[in-house]
């Protein structure tokens, strides 16, 4: 650490601190980045003597070696900092006209930042003094390697003190400061033996990094860093300071607590970690508070959020945790992250909270100098994606410095607003869970404004009555070369209903319906409804074990069966054939039973988390609402609808009832015809199909392989069941500009759909939203404690309204878990369904789907819960344990699985594979 003899202008050479090394690494790694570029800007008002001001700067620079430091690293094992003995004052004088001063300043700050510093050639610091009328704008730029924020205050205070002394004829001779190199020496001599044990204990059990950028997924196409600020008024600032005093904690702790809660809500975690800056000035080093240099250290602060804990006790715990860190604040962050056992390259956090508790305004200039400092601001660039900088006096200022490639301005404004709201909410909170992020306006927006969907609809109507009201001679359905008019459909359905009543069918009783896609299937559905029964769709292609389970679980005594759908002799219920029922002699005299819209219309089975499918009973009022709500979303009813879904899949409800209840024609492909795109397209062209619903993956194949002429009649395409991608939208728009594209979302428990999005032809986003709530449905995005999430923040999608069913069939425990009552302030008390899906509100009131909370996945459009597959596998005697995961790769290494199968004897292996193949495809 001695001066070099070969260069007389060198005062000292010594290593960098770990914090400086990290900054230098980032500066070298991204030379065009403005990371750690600092700018202090203020207005100096009063009669400023330029010569005296320059002399004051020279005096202060001469006192502090950190201001005369440059850096060297090339061809060295370790970088060094070199303190020059003298430095030419890098001060530029300019003059700006008042009317152009703002524009000139903005341009200078931008160009100054773009210019950057050559760290190895000269000390990275410069000054600009611009006369603007009777005042001056001061811009001081430097690289963070030189000094921290407290040092900035120390330097400015000394500059104005030296200036004051000179213009008043006094000699300025303060005590000599301790040089920064003494801190470097102290740091090298520090005993670090306890660092690892402390940080391992501090971060033990941490599930993973806290990344607010990953949680937000903001659309941020910008580059570089930007800064914004939210200023609390003086009254609010005093309230916050008084609150901190009552809680016997610092204001810094209060802000840290509020930021913890913001991160917790945004990242859906009760265990969060973020960076905090510590002063880094050790009490064991005398005079450290007056030293100038880069002292601050960034360390991870972990906050565990217990909703039921008293707020005061939690604040005290957080402050104690931060205080314990002080002893270990100089541990290099790279080591801390290694001890946290994170994967290589993963950072513990992506947000940094900086509490700058020092004056940067009028307190700098002594009154006797005749100068007044105001409009001070500190423009910082950080290597972190997001830095929250808190300046507490005289009014609390919340700055956000953010990476424009990860965050947009609206998202940052919202983050600061939520931080501010959390700070205010603490004043009235008894427990941690009482602190809220949403103010009254935001709560009203996501709860009421986005859900203003109420419109009248016939709540007592029944689905089959709407079908019977259609013109008798209009074609209801076609299959192969056969067709069925509405009159014929009604007559044959009446015959089915008559036969079912003859079997003693009770109102609301489940009736199995076993049929492929066919005209008999349509007749069977309507006939069961007319009889007052609830149809249970059984696709003959399903494994027999699954069909037997659904029959037993539903309690169906009678099955309506299409000819040749199954072997009647092995069927466990009474059977009514659709073809036999057509010729029933008393069908014309059939009197429909009286029942209301609360009667179950169908009972459909979906995947179950216990390994067993679960039944969803849908009442007539749910079904009629779901059907008629389409009038409020779609411009026209189906003229001709292509039904691609198996009727055991709930998306079949869309085509079946929307078409038949509005007098359209339903086109039924033959079984597996959707696997032959050419034949499917020919069918569409022959019948002039106007409407269709398909999985996005299937619709993509249609666009890729169908002749355009066959699709010419299409006017409405609905995709659902899988994520709709932006490239599919572009392909649709290019090939079928005449057809409107809709993206629908909704669970079986909400009667098929709860949101819809009309995709505009000029859609330019990356993720296609699932849209707005449909008429008479309400959608809420909630956190784990059923609190409303703000716009842009992920949470569980919870739905309420006319489409939500009452619960699961014979599953009271699961019903109690998933069908709950929404309580204020999330909304008016109402029954809702917890979908288990993740979503977030976009600013325009549309919803964006973000995936599953649990292990349920969408596979080829079907909802599949991985535990259901595991349940089947684990039940097999040759399987000790199984884990089912979803892989997106086209090729998966199955070597280990093949070896395990090879270890079985051939008969056992064949039996196991046969059992696995009984799972639903």
């Amino acid at each position: 650490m001695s001066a070099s003899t070969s260069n007389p202008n060198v005062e000292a050479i010594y290593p960098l601190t770990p914090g400086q090394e990290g900054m230098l690494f980032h500066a070298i790694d991204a030379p065009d980045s403005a990371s750690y570029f600092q700018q202090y800007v203020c207005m100096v008002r009063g009669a400023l003597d330029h010569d005296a001001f320059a002399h004051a700067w020279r005096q202060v620079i001469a006192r502090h070696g950190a201001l005369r430091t440059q850096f060297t690293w090339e061809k060295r094992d370790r970088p060094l900092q070199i303190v020059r003995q003298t430095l030419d004052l890098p001060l530029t004088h300019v003059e700006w006209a008042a009317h152009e001063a703002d524009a000139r300043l903005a341009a200078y700050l931008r160009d100054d930042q773009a210019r950057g510093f050559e760290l190895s050639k000269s000390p990275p610091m410069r000054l600009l003094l611009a006369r603007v009328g009777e005042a001056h704008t001061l811009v001081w730029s430097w690289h963070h390697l030189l000094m921290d924020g407290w040092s900035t205050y120390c330097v400015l205070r000394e500059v104005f003190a030296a200036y004051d002394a000179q213009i008043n004829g006094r000699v300025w001779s303060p005590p000599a400061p301790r040089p920064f190199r003494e801190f470097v020496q102290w740091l090298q001599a520090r005993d670090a033996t306890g660092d690892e044990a402390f940080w391992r204990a501090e971060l033990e059990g941490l599930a993973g990094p806290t990344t607010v950028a990953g949680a937000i997924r903001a659309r941020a196409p910008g580059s570089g860093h930007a800064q914004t600020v939210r200023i609390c008024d003086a009254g609010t600032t005093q309230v916050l300071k008084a609150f901190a005093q009552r809680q016997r904690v610092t204001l810094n702790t209060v802000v840290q607590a509020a930021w913890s809660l913001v991160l917790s809500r945004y990242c859906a975690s009760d265990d969060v970690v973020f960076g905090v800056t510590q002063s880094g000035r050790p009490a064991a080093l005398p005079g450290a508070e007056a030293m100038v240099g880069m002292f601050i250290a960034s360390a991870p602060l972990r906050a565990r959020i217990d909703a039921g804990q008293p707020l005061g006790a939690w604040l005290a715990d957080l402050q104690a945790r931060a205080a314990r860190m002080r002893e270990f604040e100089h541990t290099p962050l790279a080591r801390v992250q290694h001890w946290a056992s994170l994967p290589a390259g993963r950072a513990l956090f992506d947000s940094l909270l900086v509490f700058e508790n020092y004056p940067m305004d009028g307190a700098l200039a002594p009154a006797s100098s005749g100068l007044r400092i105001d409009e001070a601001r500190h423009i910082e660039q950080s290597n972190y994606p997001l830095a929250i900088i808190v300046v507490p006096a005289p009014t609390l200022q919340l700055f956000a410095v953010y990476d424009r490639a990860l965050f947009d301005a609206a998202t940052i404004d919202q983050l600061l607003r939520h931080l501010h709201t959390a700070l205010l909410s603490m004043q009235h909170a008894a427990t941690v869970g009482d602190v809220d992020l949403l103010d009254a306006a935001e709560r009203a927006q996501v709860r009421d404004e986005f859900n203003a969907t109420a419109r009248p609809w016939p709540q007592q109507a029944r689905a089959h009555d709407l079908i019977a009201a259609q013109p008798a001679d209009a074609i209801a359905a076609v299959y192969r070369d056969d067709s069925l008019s509405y009159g014929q459909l009604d007559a044959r359905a009446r015959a089915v209903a008559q036969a079912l009543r003859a079997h003693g069918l009770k109102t609301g009783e489940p009736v199995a319906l076993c049929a492929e896609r066919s005209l008999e299937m349509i007749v069977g559905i309507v006939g069961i409804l007319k009889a007052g029964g609830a149809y249970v769709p059984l696709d003959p292609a399903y494994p027999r074990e699954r069909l037997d389970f659904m029959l037993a679980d539903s309690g169906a005594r009678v099955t309506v069966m299409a000819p040749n759908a199954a072997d009647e002799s092995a069927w466990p219920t009474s059977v009514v054939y659709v073809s036999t029922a057509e010729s029933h002699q008393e069908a014309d005299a059939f009197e429909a039973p009286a029942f209301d819209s609360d009667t179950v219309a169908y009972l459909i089975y979906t995947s179950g988390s216990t390994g067993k499918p679960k039944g969803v009973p849908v009442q007539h009022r749910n079904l009629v609402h779901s059907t008629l709500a389409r009038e409020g979303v779609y411009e026209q009813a189906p003229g001709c609808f292509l039904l691609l879904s198996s009727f055991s899949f709930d998306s079949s409800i869309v085509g079946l009832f929307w078409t038949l209840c509005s007098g359209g024609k339903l086109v039924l492909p033959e079984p597996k015809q959707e696997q032959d795109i050419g034949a499917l397209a020919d069918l569409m062209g022959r019948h002039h199909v106007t409407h269709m619903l398909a999985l996005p993956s299937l619709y993509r194949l249609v666009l890729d392989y169908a002749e355009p002429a066959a699709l010419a009649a299409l006017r409405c395409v609905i995709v659902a069941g899988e994520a709709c991608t932006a490239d599919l939208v572009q392909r649709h728009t290019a090939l079928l500009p005449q057809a409107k594209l809709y993206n629908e979302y909704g669970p079986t428990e909400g009667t098929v759909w709860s949101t819809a999005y009309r995709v505009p032809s000029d859609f330019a986003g990356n993720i296609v939203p699932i849209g707005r709530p449909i008429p008479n449905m309400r959608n809420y995005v909630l956190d784990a404690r059923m609190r409303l999430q703000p716009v842009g923040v992920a949470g569980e999608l919870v739905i309420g309204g006319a489409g939500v069913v009452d619960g699961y069939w014979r599953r009271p425990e699961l019903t109690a878990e998933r069908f709950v009552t929404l309580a204020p302030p999330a909304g008016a008390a109402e029954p809702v369904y917890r979908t288990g899906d993740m979503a977030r509100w976009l600013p325009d009131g549309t919803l964006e789907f973000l995936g599953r909370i649990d292990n349920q996945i969408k596979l080829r459009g079907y909802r599949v819960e991985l535990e259901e597959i595991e349940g089947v596998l684990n039940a097999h005697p040759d399987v000790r344990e199984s884990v089912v995961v979803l892989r997106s790769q086209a090729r998966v290494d199955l070597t280990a699985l093949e070896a395990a199968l090879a270890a079985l004897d051939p008969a056992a292996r064949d039996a196991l594979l046969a059992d696995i193949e009984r799972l639903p495809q």
Side-chain angles (χ1 to χ4, degrees), residues 218-235:
R219 295 172 174 83
S223 61
H225 279 72
Q227 179 172 300
T228 189
V229 63
R230 186 179 184 90
I231 301 176
C232 303
D233 58 43

Side-chain angles (χ1 to χ4, degrees), residues 440-458:
E442 276 190 289
R443 186 176 296 107
Q445 181 187 46
V446 297
R447 182 188 63 199
D448 306 323
E449 180 184 331
F450 289 168
N451 285 302
T453 61
R455 58 178 294 172
W457 62 282

Side-chain angles (χ1 to χ4, degrees), residues 478-534:
V478 295
Y479 179 68
R480 293 178 177 164
D481 295 327
D482 295 332
S483 63
L484 196 64
S485 70
Y486 279 92
Q488 292 170 324
L489 172 59
D490 188 68
R492 296 183 186 183
R494 289 168 66 89
V496 171
Q498 179 74 0
L500 290 173
R501 299 302 288 190
H503 275 76
L505 183 72
K506 297 179 176 61
T507 299
E509 182 180 348
V511 177
L513 175 57
C514 186
E516 292 181 329
R517 217 162 32 209
S518 61
L519 296 180
E520 287 83 5
M521 179 193 78
I522 304 298
V523 171
I525 289 173
V526 180
I528 293 170
L529 295 179
K530 280 182 175 290

Side-chain angles (χ1 to χ4, degrees), residues 163-423:
Y163 175 85
D164 177 62
Q166 184 170 353
I167 64 170
N168 286 291
R170 300 193 310 270
V171 176
W172 184 64
S173 56
R178 302 190 67 169
F180 181 66
R181 66 173 179 268
E182 293 189 12
F183 169 69
V184 178
Q185 292 169 336
W186 177 90
L187 206 56
Q188 291 178 324
R190 172 180 168 268
D191 182 4
T193 55
D195 289 8
E196 180 174 358
F198 172 81
W199 285 113
R200 284 193 182 278
E202 188 70 10
L203 300 172
E204 183 180 8
L206 186 68
T210 300
T211 56
V212 64
I216 291 175
R217 309 184 194 187
R219 295 172 174 83
S223 61
H225 279 72
Q227 179 172 300
T228 189
V229 63
R230 186 179 184 90
I231 301 176
C232 303
D233 58 43
T236 299
T237 302
Q238 290 305 315
V239 166
L240 293 174
K241 291 180 177 179
F243 171 75
Q245 289 176 348
R246 291 197 305 274
Q247 299 295 332
R248 297 183 178 180
V249 297
T250 64
L251 184 58
N252 186 12
T253 296
V254 173
V255 177
Q256 289 174 347
W259 183 241
S260 301
L261 296 173
V262 171
L263 289 178
S264 174
R265 291 287 292 275
Y266 273 65
C267 300
S269 174
D270 286 341
D271 191 359
V272 298
V273 61
F274 57 96
V276 293
T277 57
Q278 311 279 19
S279 72
R281 296 170 185 264
L285 183 61
E289 71 283 351
M291 294 170 69
V292 170
M294 177 54 207
F295 288 86
I296 61 169
S298 297
L301 178 61
R302 184 180 186 181
R304 293 181 174 92
I305 289 86
D306 178 355
Q309 186 177 9
L311 181 62
W314 182 63
L315 290 171
D317 289 346
L318 190 65
Q319 179 157 293
R321 180 181 293 272
R324 287 195 301 271
M325 289 167 47
R326 289 297 306 273
E327 184 180 347
F328 305 95
E329 63 188 5
H330 293 293
T331 308
L333 191 56
R335 293 183 194 171
V336 177
Q337 294 189 161
H338 173 71
W339 294 330
S341 301
L342 291 179
R346 293 296 303 276
L348 266 171
F349 50 83
D350 68 351
S351 68
L352 185 71
L353 185 64
V354 183
F355 194 86
E356 295 186 340
N357 194 13
Y358 46 85
M360 294 296 288
D361 211 317
L364 293 171
S368 57
S369 69
L371 301 180
R372 179 167 56 89
I373 311 300
D374 61 18
E375 299 182 31
R377 52 190 171 118
H378 194 163
I379 304 170
E380 300 194 44
Q381 300 292 339
S382 170
N383 185 60
Y384 289 96
L386 175 63
I388 303 296
I389 301 166
V390 184
V391 180
T395 58
L396 189 69
Q397 301 175 52
L398 307 172
F399 291 88
V401 180
Y402 60 97
D403 187 340
R404 295 178 64 246
L406 297 174
F407 300 96
D408 54 38
T411 298
I412 294 300
D413 287 342
Q414 178 176 282
L415 269 167
L416 291 182
R417 183 172 69 250
H418 291 154
L419 178 58
H420 181 258
T421 303
L423 287 167

